[in-house]
Structure formats: C-alpha cells, structure tokens
Amino acid sequence: MHIQIVSVGKLKEKYLVQGIAEYAKRLGSYIKLTLTEVPDEKAPEVLSPAEERQVKQREGERILSSIKDDAHVIALAIGGELWSSEDLASHLDKLGTYGTSHVAFVIGGSLGLSDEVLGRANKKLSFGRLTYPHQLMRLILVEQIYRAMRINRGEPYHK
C-alpha cells in the first residue's frame, strides 16, 4: 500500500521534522509513505471572507494537482467523522484488501481546505473538535498511521 500525506506549507520546526522522520522510518516495513508539501498562499493576517476563499482555492489547486486520479482521498476536517485508532486501522485494512493501493491523506493550511478538496475526498476524518496547528497534525497523523499498521498486524502497541 502507498500512503501519501499531502500538506500545505513547509515544515520548519526541528522537533516535528525529527518526529515525522522517526515514524516514517518505522513505517518503511509496512507501507510506502510519501510526504508531499505544497506551498502555502502568502496572505495578510486579517482577510475578508472572499480573500479567505481565494487563499483556500489556490492552496486547494496545489493539493489536487499532487494527488493521483485513482487515489482514495481522506481529508482531515473538523467536521469529519470521528474514528478511533482501531477504526482507522480497519478502514486502511479494507482499502488494502479490496484493491485500493494509493491512499492520500490531506491536511490543509491554517484556513482549512477548499470546497473543491473536500468535494474530492472519499472520506472526511476529524481528530476531534480541538484545533491543532496544521504542522503538528502531520506528526499526529503519521503516528496514527503507524499505530494502525501495528494494529492490523496484531503487533503490540501502547494504548
């Protein structure tokens, strides 16, 4: 299985880069993992609703251009479904079993995802009602994918 994580913006924080690299290394024996960063749209701190839509649309175009047409897309969105780690493991296991070899998780920028990206998503996944920095979300997601792989193989992992 090939899992791609598409995210907006360049990851700069050393501790996040190191954490993601560690889980990516661990995942090497389970899946092929690709981390794709698309540039964020430069914008002033305060935006009108129309400007926010434009920023999300431009970032969304970059996201969509980096996803293969046959990918199963899971968008991270506050309004998405709430899954347990076991639910995520089961979903990925079913995708692999029934022939979906490419799964793309999408993490938007600070303003979220465009309607076009959300429309392309096969599933919308929420990690709860709390808001996390999108850079930190990358680390949380890659850890959860690792946990899912361990669950699917029946291997021990802390709860």
Side-chain angles (χ1 to χ4, degrees):
M1 175 177 272
H2 176 209
I3 294 181
Q4 176 184 24
I5 299 174
V6 181
S7 51
V8 174
K10 181 133 180 76
L11 194 59
K12 299 175 192 110
E13 293 82 359
K14 185 177 178 181
Y15 69 97
L16 293 174
V17 171
Q18 290 172 332
I20 291 168
E22 176 61 29
Y23 282 109
K25 181 177 81 173
R26 293 181 189 187
L27 278 165
S29 61
Y30 298 95
I31 60 166
K32 178 183 178 196
L33 178 68
T34 304
L35 304 170
T36 305
E37 292 180 338
V38 299
D40 56 346
E41 187 69 19
K42 303 300 177 212
E45 192 70 29
V46 179
L47 299 169
S48 71
E51 290 170 324
E52 280 190 19
R53 278 191 304 279
Q54 280 185 326
V55 167
K56 290 196 296 188
Q57 184 177 5
R58 288 183 188 126
E59 290 175 348
E61 289 167 359
R62 294 178 190 134
I63 290 168
L64 292 172
S65 70
S66 66
I67 298 172
K68 290 185 177 184
D69 289 341
D70 65 342
H72 180 88
V73 177
I74 301 173
L76 274 59
I78 291 174
E81 298 175 30
L82 293 169
W83 290 350
S84 65
S85 296
E86 292 78 11
D87 292 336
L88 176 61
S90 175
H91 190 75
L92 292 175
D93 188 50
K94 286 176 187 167
L95 289 172
T97 301
Y98 295 105
T100 302
S101 61
H102 186 100
V103 177
F105 286 89
V106 179
I107 303 171
S110 58
L111 297 175
L113 294 167
S114 69
D115 291 339
E116 292 79 10
V117 173
L118 293 172
R120 168 66 177 88
N122 299 92
K123 288 282 183 186
K124 295 172 191 75
L125 174 61
S126 173
F127 277 71
R129 295 185 58 190
L130 296 172
T131 302
Y132 299 100
H134 56 281
Q135 297 92 346
L136 177 60
M137 201 61 232
R138 293 184 209 183
L139 176 58
I140 294 169
L141 176 60
V142 76
E143 186 279 334
Q144 283 297 307
I145 294 168
Y146 175 69
R147 183 182 296 262
M149 296 299 113
R150 301 274 303 184
I151 289 169
N152 286 341
R153 287 222 185 141
E155 297 172 352
Y157 198 76
H158 64 276
K159 296 182 180 196

